Amino acid sequence: MAKTILITGCSSGIGYDAAHGLKAAGWKVFATCRREEDCERLRSEGLISFQLDVADPESIEAGFNEALARGRGRLDALYNNAAFACPGAAEDIPPGALREIFETNLFGLHDLTTRAIKVMRAQGDNGEGRILQCSSVLGFVGLKWRAAYASTKFALEGLTDVMRLEMADTNIKIVLIQPGPITSKIRVNSIPPFEKWVDWENSARRAQYEGSLLKRLYQSRGKPDTFELPPSEVTKTILKALDAPNPKPRYKITTPTKAISVVRRFLPDRMLDWVLDKG
């Protein structure tokens, strides 16, 4: 029987490509989305798709149980991909915005992960399964205007590192996927949270918003970032992490992610700040 994988956030970008790519590679893919209309579109493309909103505990329970039912009680892998961004200067991000983004990017992800571990512990002689967490280059360095998103990814990396250590006595492998600039809708999708939470017009940094962030959000939506790669590169990495007998703890994708990880190890903090500020 084909191995099963549950993927969150499959409406577009990384999750969408991963769902199709893993299906083509022989996996039985449960491609979940927050909205039913996106699930309908994926079903019309031949995928098994149903709703799972990681910000809603009831939806998490229902979606996870649906995956188990369709997999006859077995789940071989989980790819936690769903996430969103809320751009803005850290001083302008209200607590409610952080609560909202952590609910999706960390708390809901952790809910799914612990449910998957319970199932995977019952598989094989000493448990069996793979859990892949989609982090970011912003999971180990911070960049201006990205405080909310980076804080969730830093937290995810710490949570995943500890979980990997704790699961070392099982056959359940915990892996971080660390993309850099990948073609997706994350910039467009970040506009509604920005407009909901950030009062940039009354910010002490209003001129900086007008000279930088607003242009990036509203005037350069379709322009790729430097060294941006297609989501298929992430899918290739996911397949490596799933197929490897002993997967690496981290898989870095894109030139900026690999370069910054090296620079971060060797530069003093103030010099790193200078490099990141110029970038």
Side-chain angles (χ1 to χ4, degrees), residues 194-214:
F194 171 74
E195 293 178 344
K196 175 181 177 181
W197 291 108
V198 180
D199 184 14
W200 67 269
E201 292 175 304
N202 293 306
S203 171
R205 299 186 180 277
R206 175 170 179 163
Q208 293 176 15
Y209 278 97
E210 292 173 331
S212 177
L213 183 59
L214 296 183

Side-chain angles (χ1 to χ4, degrees), residues 73-112:
R74 184 176 180 88
L75 184 66
D76 295 291
L78 168 66
Y79 179 43
N80 281 309
N81 168 71
F84 73 93
C86 180
E91 65 187 289
D92 297 325
I93 301 293
L98 282 182
R99 292 188 187 101
E100 186 174 85
I101 194 170
F102 267 84
E103 194 67 51
T104 291
N105 293 13
L106 189 73
F107 302 152
L109 174 155
H110 184 60
D111 189 348
L112 260 184

Side-chain angles (χ1 to χ4, degrees), residues 167-235:
M167 301 306 292
D169 61 348
T170 74
N171 289 324
I172 302 170
K173 306 298 184 181
I174 316 290
V175 178
L176 278 165
I177 305 295
Q178 297 175 310
I182 298 291
T183 305
S184 73
K185 293 183 178 179
I186 192 168
R187 193 184 308 172
V188 173
N189 291 342
S190 72
I191 292 175
F194 171 74
E195 293 178 344
K196 175 181 177 181
W197 291 108
V198 180
D199 184 14
W200 67 269
E201 292 175 304
N202 293 306
S203 171
R205 299 186 180 277
R206 175 170 179 163
Q208 293 176 15
Y209 278 97
E210 292 173 331
S212 177
L213 183 59
L214 296 183
K215 292 180 180 179
R216 177 173 172 80
L217 286 180
Y218 295 101
Q219 297 177 22
S220 61
R221 297 190 199 181
K223 295 180 181 178
D225 289 324
T226 305
F227 300 111
E228 184 175 297
L229 293 177
S232 58
E233 292 300 317
V234 182
T235 301

